[in-house]
Amino acid sequence: IISEHGADHLGMRELADASGVPVATIYQYFGNREAVIATYFERESEKLDRAMANAFLELERVDMKTVVDTIADVHVKHHRENPAAVSVWFSGRAGFEVADRVRQQHASLGAWLRDGLVGVGLMRPDAPEDCCALVVRLFDRTFEFVFLEERTIKEQDEIINMHKTYATALL
C-alpha cells in the first residue's frame, strides 16, 4: 500500500483488506499504523544500506570526493526509484517510531562513514566523533529539500552536486 499509494493511504483496515488478514491479527504484530510505517522505513533503510555497501565495494579508488559522491548517488537513486518511500522518509517523521528509526539510521551511517574514513586514512582518528553524523544529517536535510518540492531532475542534480562539494570540504 505504501509503495503503490504512499503512507497517507495506509490504514489498518486497508492493510487488512489488501492482505486478506483480519485486522485483529495485524494488531497482534503491529500496535498501530505508525509501527507499520516504521517497519516499512526499516526495510527501505536496509535496502539502502545494502546498495551503499555494494557501491563502495565497486569503487576503484577511495578519496573524500568518491566517498561523498557514492553516498549521495546511492541515496538519490533510491529516492528516485522509490518515490513512495520519499514521503515516509521525510514526511512520515511526525510519529515517534519513524523519527526514532531515522535517528538510528543517521547515527549508524555517521559511525560507519567515520570508521571507514579513519580506516582508509582519509580522516584522523582524533577527528570529532560527530563530524560524519553532521554530514549525514546535512545530506538528509538536502534530500528533503530536493525531493519534497516539485523539481526537475536537472534542478535536483544541481542542488545535490552543490551539496556534495560542501560536504567534501566539510569532511
Side-chain angles (χ1 to χ4, degrees):
I1 294 170
I2 295 171
S3 294
E4 291 179 18
H5 306 291
D8 292 340
H9 296 279
L10 176 71
M12 299 305 261
R13 169 62 49 206
E14 289 78 13
L15 183 56
D17 291 345
S19 65
V21 174
V23 173
T25 301
I26 292 173
Y27 275 110
Q28 289 178 345
Y29 295 95
F30 301 101
N32 54 34
R33 175 183 178 275
E34 180 72 17
V36 175
I37 294 171
T39 300
Y40 175 84
F41 175 83
E42 191 170 294
R43 189 188 80 201
E44 290 300 309
S45 294
E46 289 169 0
K47 285 178 12 185
L48 194 53
D49 289 347
R50 282 191 303 277
M52 186 86 61
N54 289 335
F56 274 98
L57 290 173
E58 294 176 6
L59 288 178
E60 290 184 21
R61 78 177 165 72
V62 178
D63 59 26
M64 202 60 79
K65 182 174 178 2
T66 60
V67 168
V68 169
D69 287 353
T70 300
I71 291 170
D73 294 346
V74 168
H75 279 81
V76 168
K77 183 176 189 243
H78 181 268
H79 292 325
R80 285 182 178 156
E81 291 176 354
N82 301 283
V86 169
S87 68
V88 172
W89 200 279
F90 300 115
S91 300
R93 295 183 182 174
F96 172 77
E97 288 187 61
V98 173
D100 189 51
R101 299 251 169 104
V102 169
R103 280 190 294 278
Q104 290 173 19
Q105 176 72 7
H106 287 166
S108 174
L109 184 54
W112 178 80
L113 175 59
R114 186 180 185 290
D115 290 347
L117 291 174
V118 168
V120 296
L122 290 174
M123 181 174 280
R124 293 179 20 200
D126 62 345
E129 291 288 327
D130 294 338
C131 64
C132 290
L134 174 62
V135 170
V136 167
R137 294 198 57 144
L138 290 171
F139 261 119
D140 194 60
R141 295 287 70 80
T142 299
F143 294 144
E144 181 177 22
F145 175 76
V146 166
F147 289 108
L148 286 184
E149 295 290 327
E150 195 68 34
R151 299 183 197 286
T152 65
I153 297 291
K154 182 180 178 201
E155 291 170 328
Q156 291 176 352
D157 287 344
E158 287 172 356
I159 295 166
I160 292 164
N161 287 334
M162 180 177 53
H163 186 76
K164 285 179 184 179
T165 301
Y166 295 148
T168 302
L170 183 61
L171 287 171

